[in-house]
Amino acid sequence: MIPENIILNFGATLKQYSKERPIFNEGEQADFYYQLKTGHVKMFNLTEEGKEFVQGFFESGNSFGEPPLFGDFKYPATALTLVDSDIYLLPKAAFFDLLKLHPDIHLNFTKMICKRMIYKAKIAREVSIYPPEHRILTLLHHLKSNAKVTHHFEVPLTRQQISELTGLRVETVIRAIKKLEKTNALAIIDRKVVL
Amino acid sequence: MIPENIILNFGATLKQYSKERPIFNEGEQADFYYQLKTGHVKMFNLTEEGKEFVQGFFESGNSFGEPPLFGDFKYPATALTLVDSDIYLLPKAAFFDLLKLHPDIHLNFTKMICKRMIYKAKIAREVSIYPPEHRILTLLHHLKSNAKVTHHFEVPLTRQQISELTGLRVETVIRAIKKLEKTNALAIIDRKVVL
DNA sequence: ATGGGTATATGATTTGAATCATAAAAATAC
DNA sequence: GTATTTTTATGATTCAAATCATATACCCAT
């Protein structure tokens, strides 16, 4: 996250998006650094047949869609606002100037990318060598680790949303969660998943 | 990749590993930056039942296992030499000093990480919403993009290695590659995959 | 409160990749 | 030059998750 005064100094513009609006689409050339001031953004892939895979959710303060800037790549996913959002747009060249003049920001950026990298590597592992229950549990623990509560964490997601985030079908998620309940890996209280 | 004279200036030591030796294990604390001078290294995850998922192969010049350095994380995978290998080890603190004093190297490093990041994001997508053929093709194109040749790229992997890298079974890989040949997405010349 | 939409639930069926079994070709070791 | 291992190959079978088909509980608007 780049401080507001600095990003504005380098020529960023603040753009308003209404909810459910695309910010960029998979396959497009990456020309801007995007940083969410307020709102919520979802990044995802979609097949022709309508199958969706969610790469991540972003909230206030997060930047997103940066990797393709570092090598003239196309966006590997589509970004969409979920609610009305204000987003800073910084042209690619200005972004690089900024990193050059602010080594501390560059280092923070690298740290953030590396953290995401580790998470992606974990996901890759889960998906190919562990069963659905494991995958769901990894997601839930990841969410819990990002929450403030340390016990009795009420998962703020519907089965459908868990389905989108794991790439599993809703029915599979429902059945897997029941299995996990039986092994006491989690509890279902008033239909809510708790751990 | 950090030039040899520079990495040595910052106090790196060159360590010799015989083949099939672990360099670090999943779950261990990350304390060094590793850069392969000569040899081959495999990074992978292993389940209790022996299922393996390969996160990546590394060859001369490549660095590996860097992300956990940027935040005191544990290694998310295990690294193993495949052949006798010479590896530069640079202590974490010296690595950060080096990045600070060589912004150009820092930027190159970020570019490399971002490229890997895009690849991991693609993998996550492939695995959950695309069929095996698509997944294999993504791997092969990634390898090609890292090679010097721009056409007639001979894939330097056996079906078994492709299997390990994609998490698919060998038989599935063989059948998928034949399918891809039929659609002219690639060619099989003298048993080698070419694209 | 009534109706429409969404979320949860569960059984039946299909499907595609894993698994199992086997063999031949190629590479490597002896 | 022969034996052994690895790689490629293919068919048969199994299995787990996707898909299909319903049903019911819950939420929310009018």
Side-chain angles (χ1 to χ4, degrees):
Chain A
M1 189 206 134
I2 302 173
E4 302 203 353
N5 57 329
I6 295 179
I7 200 171
L8 287 170
N9 261 352
F10 278 79
T13 53
L14 185 61
K15 198 169 161 186
Q16 296 185 313
Y17 290 80
S18 50
K19 68 172 182 173
E20 317 241 318
R21 282 295 176 78
I23 302 159
F24 52 74
N25 292 292
E26 183 174 350
E28 286 175 8
Q29 192 69 34
D31 294 323
F32 292 93
Y33 166 85
Y34 293 90
Q35 185 173 303
L36 199 49
K37 182 181 161 71
T38 59
H40 282 277
V41 168
K42 176 166 88 166
M43 276 204 54
F44 62 97
N45 294 113
L46 213 56
T47 62
E48 307 78 55
E49 309 99 62
K51 275 193 177 185
E52 181 179 307
F53 177 74
V54 176
Q55 294 280 358
F57 288 113
F58 300 91
E59 48 192 50
S60 303
N62 294 158
S63 61
F64 55 90
E66 323 87 338
L69 290 173
F70 290 83
D72 295 310
F73 295 114
K74 315 282 184 195
Y75 283 112
T78 296
L80 187 90
T81 55
L82 294 175
V83 298
D84 292 354
S85 303
D86 292 342
I87 304 175
Y88 287 115
L89 272 71
L90 184 65
K92 181 175 169 172
F95 174 59
F96 279 99
D97 288 346
L98 192 155
L99 288 187
K100 199 168 190 175
L101 276 157
H102 293 276
D104 50 327
I105 290 178
H106 187 177
L107 186 60
N108 278 337
F109 178 79
T110 309
K111 282 182 182 170
M112 186 269 294
I113 288 288
C114 284
K115 193 173 183 180
R116 282 192 204 158
M117 181 79 195
I118 292 173
Y119 182 66
K120 285 285 173 203
K122 277 188 187 167
I123 292 298
R125 175 192 68 178
E126 294 300 325
V127 167
S128 76
I129 54 176
Y130 287 105
E133 300 91 78
H134 201 286
R135 210 153 133 195
I136 291 171
L137 211 50
T138 298
L139 166 69
L140 300 183
H141 280 134
H142 178 74
L143 291 171
K144 187 180 179 181
S145 78
N146 284 343
K148 23 238 131 274
V149 295
T150 156
H151 74 296
H152 196 87
F153 170 64
E154 212 171 74
V155 179
L157 296 175
T158 65
R159 312 293 193 263
Q160 179 56 47
Q161 288 172 318
I162 294 174
S163 157
E164 285 170 7
L165 280 161
T166 55
L168 300 164
R169 297 299 118 214
V170 194
E171 301 95 316
T172 307
V173 170
I174 290 169
R175 293 185 242 250
I177 287 178
K178 295 216 163 146
K179 252 197 206 174
L180 288 168
E181 192 199 14
K182 280 192 186 112
T183 65
N184 293 318
L186 53 78
I188 303 176
I189 298 172
D190 196 28
R191 284 191 160 197
K192 284 262 164 210
V193 177
V194 175
L195 69 161
Chain B
M1 189 205 136
I2 301 173
E4 302 203 353
N5 57 329
I6 296 178
I7 199 170
L8 286 169
N9 261 354
F10 278 79
T13 54
L14 184 63
K15 198 168 163 187
Q16 296 185 313
Y17 290 81
S18 50
K19 66 172 182 173
E20 317 241 318
R21 282 293 178 78
I23 302 159
F24 53 74
N25 291 292
E26 183 174 350
E28 286 175 7
Q29 192 69 32
D31 294 322
F32 292 93
Y33 166 85
Y34 294 91
Q35 184 172 301
L36 199 48
K37 183 179 160 71
T38 59
H40 282 278
V41 168
K42 175 166 90 167
M43 277 202 56
F44 62 97
N45 295 114
L46 211 58
T47 62
E48 306 79 55
E49 309 100 60
K51 271 195 179 187
E52 181 179 308
F53 177 74
V54 175
Q55 294 280 358
F57 286 114
F58 300 92
E59 50 191 47
S60 302
N62 294 158
S63 60
F64 56 90
E66 323 89 339
L69 290 173
F70 290 83
D72 295 312
F73 295 112
K74 315 282 184 197
Y75 283 112
T78 296
L80 188 90
T81 56
L82 294 175
V83 299
D84 292 353
S85 303
D86 293 341
I87 305 176
Y88 287 115
L89 271 71
L90 184 65
K92 181 175 167 170
F95 173 59
F96 279 99
D97 289 345
L98 192 156
L99 289 187
K100 200 168 189 172
L101 276 155
H102 293 277
D104 49 328
I105 291 178
H106 186 178
L107 186 62
N108 278 336
F109 178 78
T110 309
K111 281 182 182 173
M112 187 267 296
I113 289 288
C114 283
K115 193 171 185 179
R116 283 193 203 159
M117 181 76 194
I118 290 172
Y119 179 65
K120 286 284 174 205
K122 277 186 187 170
I123 291 299
R125 173 193 72 176
E126 296 300 325
V127 168
S128 76
I129 55 176
Y130 286 104
E133 301 90 78
H134 206 285
R135 208 153 135 194
I136 292 170
L137 211 49
T138 297
L139 165 69
L140 300 184
H141 279 134
H142 176 73
L143 292 172
K144 187 180 178 181
S145 78
N146 283 342
K148 33 238 133 270
V149 295
T150 157
H151 74 297
H152 196 88
F153 170 64
E154 213 171 74
V155 179
L157 297 175
T158 65
R159 311 294 193 263
Q160 178 57 45
Q161 289 172 317
I162 294 174
S163 157
E164 286 170 7
L165 280 161
T166 54
L168 300 163
R169 296 301 117 214
V170 195
E171 302 93 315
T172 307
V173 169
I174 289 168
R175 293 185 242 251
I177 287 178
K178 295 214 165 151
K179 251 197 207 176
L180 287 167
E181 193 199 15
K182 277 188 190 119
T183 65
N184 293 316
L186 53 77
I188 303 176
I189 298 171
D190 196 28
R191 282 189 161 202
K192 285 261 164 211
V193 177
V194 174
L195 69 160

